[in-house]
């Protein structure tokens, strides 16, 4: 049974820092992996979808990497800003979408 | 494109009442799903649909009913509301399960 975990659970950093959020999955036979952000009181917004054949995917200041063999994905946020404050979730498709436990990020000025 | 829309945004019900949460998408997506999100429980799948006329149960289907008569709409019905159904409900759509998922803004439901 696929299980997805994220560390850390919470992170508080000053503006400008480069960040790494981690996502681990137990079954390496994944089709792809998605990263989402969720702002308080809002729905999820898809940030990046990285296919199983890809090693990296980039969008602006965000870079997601995928290492299937080790069951890990990282989301790198460059030059963090207060507007990046949100909860970040990773998810992998199985018989349904399996979501990670989430990382709550706070970036303070 | 409006994306995924949900109505209402907020709703308060009394125990035993019924209601329908509306979800619509204008992206011609085949796959649609309903989740509930509770503190400390993450997102849990209630029902999903892989196309018009096809629905199936997720992890927590009891007390909820769905139908999919068109590609665009996927309403969620609460048959007899219970306080345990107090939650935030999200609808999502995609071309297929493993494709990019688009979420609606959510409906915050309180059952007294």
């Amino acid at each position: 049974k696929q299980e997805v975990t994220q560390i850390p659970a919470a992170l508080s950093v000053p503006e400008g820092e480069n960040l790494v959020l981690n996502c681990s999955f137990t079954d390496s036979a994944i089709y792809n992996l998605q990263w989402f952000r969720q702002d308080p009181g809002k729905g999820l917004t898809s940030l990046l979808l990285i296919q199983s054949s890809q090693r990296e995917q980039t969008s602006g200041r965000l870079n997601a990497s995928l290492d299937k063999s080790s069951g890990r994905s990282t989301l790198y946020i460059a030059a963090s800003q207060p507007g990046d404050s949100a909860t970040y979730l990773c998810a992998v498709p199985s018989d349904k979408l399996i979501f990670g436990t989430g990382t709550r990020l706070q970036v303070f000025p | 494109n409006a994306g995924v829309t949900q109505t209402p945004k907020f709703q308060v019900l009394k125990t035993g009442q019924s209601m329908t949460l509306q979800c619509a998408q204008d992206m011609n997506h085949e796959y649609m799903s309903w989740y509930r999100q509770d503190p400390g429980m993450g997102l849990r799948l209630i029902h999903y649909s892989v196309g018009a006329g096809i629905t199936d149960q997720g992890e927590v289907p009891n007390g909820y009913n769905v139908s999919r008569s068109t590609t665009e709409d996927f309403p969620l019905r609460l048959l007899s509301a219970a306080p345990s159904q107090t939650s935030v409900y999200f609808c999502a759509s995609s071309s297929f399960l493993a494709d990019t998922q688009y979420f609606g803004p959510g409906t915050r439901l309180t059952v007294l």
Side-chain angles (χ1 to χ4, degrees), chain A residues 47-59:
Chain A
L47 298 172
L48 290 165
L49 185 151
I50 181 165
Q51 300 290 353
S52 62
S53 57
Q54 294 178 301
R55 297 291 299 271
E56 286 188 1
Q57 185 73 263
T58 298
S59 176

Side-chain angles (χ1 to χ4, degrees), chain A residues 31-32 34 36 38 40-46 49 51 89 93-97 99, chain B residues 31 35 37 43 45 48 58-59 90 96-106 108:
Chain A
Y31 186 82
N32 59 33
Q34 290 188 56
F36 297 88
Q38 185 176 25
K42 301 288 176 65
L44 278 69
T45 300
S46 181
L49 185 151
Q51 300 290 353
L89 295 155
S94 179
D95 56 335
K96 57 183 170 68
L97 205 56
F99 286 91
Chain B
Y31 186 86
Y35 294 88
Q37 187 175 40
L43 284 156
L45 182 65
Y48 66 96
E59 302 171 76
F90 291 104
F96 53 97
L97 169 61
D99 203 7
T100 300
Q101 294 282 326
Y102 295 86
F103 280 77
R108 187 174 296 272

Side-chain angles (χ1 to χ4, degrees), chain B residues 9-25:
Chain B
K9 285 186 168 45
F10 302 94
Q11 183 70 49
V12 179
L13 292 178
K14 294 180 180 177
T15 297
Q17 288 185 316
S18 62
M19 79 159 295
T20 299
L21 279 63
Q22 301 291 346
C23 173
Q25 51 90 11

